[in-house]
Amino acid sequence: MHAAVVHSFDAPPRFDTIETPRLRDEHEVLVDVLAAGLHPRVRSSANGSHYTSEGVLPLVPGIDAVGRTEQGELLYFVAPDTALGTMAEQAVVDRRRAITLPTDTDPVTVAAAMNPGMSSWVALRRRVTLPPGASVLVLGATGNAGQLAVQIAKHLGAAHVVAAGRDAERLDLLPGLGADETVSLLGEPKEVADRLGRSAGDADVVIDYLWGRAAEHAMPALLTARPERAKPLAWIQIGSMAGAEIALPSSLLRAANLQIMGSGQGSVTTAGILTELPSLATEITSGTLAVNPLALPLSQVEQAWNTPTAPGQRIVLTPR
């Protein structure tokens, strides 16, 4: 069968042929892949930088997809961490890592939004409980996952959502998607910190897609501006677009009620993540969440890897 194949971590995948995968046990089913999203997580697997990467080549990228069984059942599924991903004409699905979708579901829309959407959906449903009237800061709101996080936080009951990011064009879109305030992360660190403190000093939850220096400056800014230091601040670490590490002064943890946690593979069980997916799929397919997919054929995977996207757009590979 045809597939996108990574032969080198220094180059995009190539459209190539591989053996059709075979079923190994009673939990597995073979599907025709209808749509697979080109997520940042896919790119990091394909270049070997993701923390789950074992350096095995060649590999087929892709961590999730929508596929149809021989019987016509439509499935959204999450692939295991192996060298055989979802960007292929067919894929083996473990039914324990899949959910059934309505037959009239648009596969491209679901493939575009489930992965970026589940990061904040799972975080706000499994890692914390939003208090009534909650205020949420999305740090890194101008990425696709951050843009969906703004919408999801509002949908799940946040009374006030602050969206912070560097991309001015994308930041301008966020009030129309539910952001009550926006904060630019461009400028001198002290100026940025002051802006964050004024807008999000009373936040109950931070959804952090950045980490690195951005988090280093934001944490003390928020806690210093906090009217009541003992009020809990749940900092949910999801991504590391600004760096994999931070310097965290011990005094910061003593001087305020800061609760740092992660949300992702390992911090939430696979079963817990899958439990949340049907309700997220419902919100995606109903139009509650704004999704902007760009469908490209699998045969153009090399070009797709470097295709620029518009604000909020996600590339999805389809069979043709």
Side-chain angles (χ1 to χ4, degrees), residues 4-293:
V5 183
V6 176
H7 294 279
S8 168
F9 289 129
D10 297 325
R14 299 201 309 261
F15 187 62
D16 210 340
T17 56
I18 62 170
E19 291 188 12
T20 301
R22 297 181 179 181
L23 306 182
R24 295 169 298 180
D25 60 50
E26 70 276 11
H27 298 293
E28 294 184 338
V29 61
L30 190 67
V31 300
D32 293 326
V33 176
L34 303 179
L38 180 47
H39 315 301
R41 168 71 173 80
V42 175
R43 294 180 184 275
S44 63
S45 293
N47 65 26
S49 65
H50 194 263
Y51 66 86
T52 62
S53 175
E54 297 181 351
V56 176
L57 290 174
L59 68 83
V60 175
I63 58 170
D64 67 343
V66 176
R68 196 181 302 278
T69 68
E70 186 178 0
Q71 293 74 31
E73 186 180 9
L74 195 63
L75 301 176
Y76 169 78
F77 62 98
V78 179
D81 291 319
T82 69
L84 194 59
T86 61
M87 291 182 169
E89 291 179 317
Q90 292 185 302
V92 170
V93 177
D94 185 333
R95 295 301 301 252
R96 296 166 297 184
R97 299 170 66 94
I99 62 170
T100 301
L101 299 170
T103 56
D104 61 349
T105 298
D106 177 16
V108 172
T109 299
V110 172
M114 284 291 278
N115 174 266
M118 76 171 68
S119 63
S120 57
W121 184 275
V122 171
L124 294 175
R125 302 254 295 188
R126 290 273 162 172
R127 299 299 280 147
V128 296
T129 300
L130 285 179
S135 175
V136 174
L137 167 64
V138 180
L139 197 59
T142 51
N144 282 313
Q147 181 173 303
L148 280 166
V150 169
Q151 300 176 65
I152 286 168
K154 204 72 172 182
H155 177 71
L156 293 179
H160 191 81
V161 177
V162 179
R166 294 176 61 85
D167 189 309
E169 183 182 0
R170 295 180 183 224
L171 206 60
D172 287 342
L173 298 174
L174 295 176
L177 297 174
D180 298 284
E181 290 186 64
T182 61
V183 177
S184 172
L185 298 180
L186 294 174
E188 292 297 320
K190 186 179 185 309
E191 295 174 357
V192 173
D194 289 343
R195 290 196 292 266
L196 284 171
R198 288 193 299 270
S199 295
D202 62 347
D204 298 286
V205 176
V206 175
I207 300 174
D208 179 12
Y209 290 101
L210 299 181
W211 206 235
R213 295 297 296 273
E216 281 186 15
H217 294 305
M219 281 183 189
L222 266 60
L223 296 172
T224 301
R226 213 159 181 73
E228 173 52 62
R229 295 283 187 92
K231 178 185 176 183
L233 174 60
W235 194 287
I236 311 178
Q237 206 289 310
I238 297 177
S240 52
M241 297 300 292
E245 299 177 355
I246 68 168
L248 179 63
S250 60
S251 59
L252 206 61
L253 298 175
R254 297 192 301 271
N257 192 354
L258 175 63
Q259 303 164 359
I260 303 175
M261 67 194 79
S263 186
Q265 291 173 269
S267 56
V268 182
T269 65
T270 299
I273 292 172
L274 285 169
T275 298
E276 296 298 337
L277 297 189
S279 53
L280 174 58
T282 297
E283 301 306 332
I284 292 170
T285 56
S286 68
T288 300
L289 304 176
V291 182
N292 183 19

